[in-house]
Amino acid sequence: MSLTVAAVSANFTRDLEQNYALVEQLLDEARAQGARLVVFPEASIGGYLSSLGNHGDTVRTTKRSLPPAIRLDGPEIRRVQALAGETVVCIGFCELDDDGETRYNAAVCLDGSQVYGSYRKVHQPLGENMSYAAGESYRAFDTPVGRIGLQICYDKAFPEAARALALDGAEIVVSMSAWPAARTATAEDLQQDRWTYRFNLFDAARALDNQVFWIASNQSGTFGSLRYVGNAKVVDPGGNVLATTLLDAGIAVAEIDVEGTFRAMRGGMFHLRDRRPDVYAALTAPDAPESTGWKDLAHA
């Protein structure tokens, strides 16, 4: 059975009314093309941090410009549900914990009637830990459009994150980002920028690694000191890009057949089946063997 999905590339700011209006507009555009699953970027409700950098820079930035903290059961999420209606929507926001103080870079999957799952970002780049606490788990969950797993931005650089979701039965991995261009030696053509290249390479590799459908959204335009690279896309389990926005704002729409594609691709070489967990002990050890020297390099 075919399913039409859409990945969003758009610019979201601190202006919540602007955010809701943009969500509504993009949902209308996606639904007009038959989309039943629409994936918005990281930090779509309230925007992302206005810069990334070293410890001191991040402290000054986050004191000046933190996104609004939102509870998962709060009115902001309910407003997105009202806009979603029968469409399954994945969207990023800054989640406020029950203690009223701790913030998480978070995402939720919902429609107008139900919240199907949520996620708190595990891997934090470039001082993000000065603004957010880290999540601690990956899990997939069932929705009307299939079994979905969520991750956010830098998570895609870690094969273990996508593999954990695939092993939990995720058919579609949703990867939401606020992924910028390189901070130094930025390419004049952002499509050729080295961080754009990595963003796209990770998307194709993680889809192929796990033979899952991969839907990657991203912010576009600029916010604070960050210049986003867009490139929202839909990738099939063979690592083939079915639709992409490239640098532009807009939506990448593709029709996918989860069951039929899985049957064809996994009928022969099935990566999850052919794993050898008995030789992967180092993956679950707190530290890699000292002989690799990676710890010394990391602190050089």
Side-chain angles (χ1 to χ4, degrees):
M1 180 181 297
S2 65
L3 168 70
T4 300
V5 300
V8 169
S9 171
N11 184 257
F12 292 90
T13 69
R14 294 286 181 266
D15 186 339
L16 292 184
E17 291 304 317
Q18 178 262 355
N19 298 164
Y20 296 131
L22 189 51
V23 166
E24 183 174 23
Q25 173 195 326
L26 291 165
L27 277 173
D28 286 345
E29 292 179 15
R31 283 191 282 242
Q33 297 184 60
R36 294 178 56 210
L37 169 63
V38 181
V39 175
F40 288 88
E42 171 185 10
S44 290
I45 306 175
Y48 185 56
L49 304 176
S50 55
S51 74
L52 287 171
N54 64 33
H55 180 110
D57 287 344
T58 305
V59 170
R60 287 194 294 272
T61 298
T62 54
K63 284 183 178 177
R64 183 174 66 249
S65 182
L66 279 172
I70 293 168
R71 293 187 185 276
L72 190 58
D73 61 354
E76 298 87 355
I77 300 299
R78 288 197 294 273
R79 187 161 174 183
V80 175
Q81 286 189 276
L83 295 172
E86 295 182 356
T87 307
V88 177
V89 168
C90 300
I91 193 165
F93 67 105
C94 174
E95 182 182 0
L96 184 65
D97 199 10
D98 291 339
D99 63 12
E101 296 182 2
T102 306
R103 293 165 173 255
Y104 294 92
N105 190 340
V108 63
C109 181
L110 52 76
D111 62 16
S113 64
Q114 187 172 341
V115 170
Y116 295 101
S118 63
Y119 167 69
R120 293 170 170 176
K121 186 176 180 181
V122 170
H123 297 98
Q124 299 178 307
L126 299 173
E128 193 180 84
N129 64 327
M130 299 305 299
S131 302
Y132 301 110
E136 297 181 342
S137 66
Y138 292 99
R139 67 176 185 85
F141 46 85
D142 294 319
T143 78
V145 296
R147 190 162 176 83
I148 289 176
L150 302 176
Q151 56 174 235
I152 298 175
C153 206
Y154 191 40
D155 286 326
K156 73 174 70 186
F158 299 86
E160 300 89 344
R163 179 54 52 88
L165 290 170
L167 290 174
D168 197 26
E171 300 165 320
I172 299 170
V173 173
V174 165
S175 177
M176 297 173 251
S177 293
W179 191 287
R183 296 177 298 158
T184 60
T186 309
E188 184 174 346
D189 176 2
L190 287 189
Q191 193 59 39
Q192 304 304 317
D193 190 79
R194 65 185 186 277
W195 280 26
T196 308
Y197 170 80
R198 294 169 189 174
F199 180 84
N200 291 330
L201 182 61
F202 284 140
D203 288 338
R206 297 294 87 84
L208 179 57
D209 285 345
N210 299 287
Q211 295 174 302
V212 295
F213 283 95
W214 187 273
I215 305 179
S217 58
N218 196 18
Q219 297 259 2
S220 64
T222 62
F223 183 70
S225 66
L226 301 178
R227 236 177 125 188
Y228 298 118
V229 302
N231 280 267
K233 66 178 72 64
V234 180
V235 188
D236 77 7
N240 303 296
V241 176
L242 304 180
T244 177
T245 64
L246 297 176
L247 296 174
D248 296 333
I251 53 176
V253 179
E255 185 175 325
I256 64 175
D257 177 359
V258 174
E259 183 179 352
T261 304
F262 279 14
R263 188 186 312 113
M265 290 208 61
R266 296 179 170 188
M269 296 177 66
F270 183 13
H271 303 162
L272 301 183
R273 178 197 62 205
D274 297 337
R275 294 177 310 119
R276 284 287 309 280
D278 54 307
V279 301
Y280 305 152
L283 294 180
T284 57
D287 292 314
E290 292 184 7
S291 61
T292 64
W294 73 271
K295 293 178 73 175
D296 293 334
L297 289 173
H299 295 94

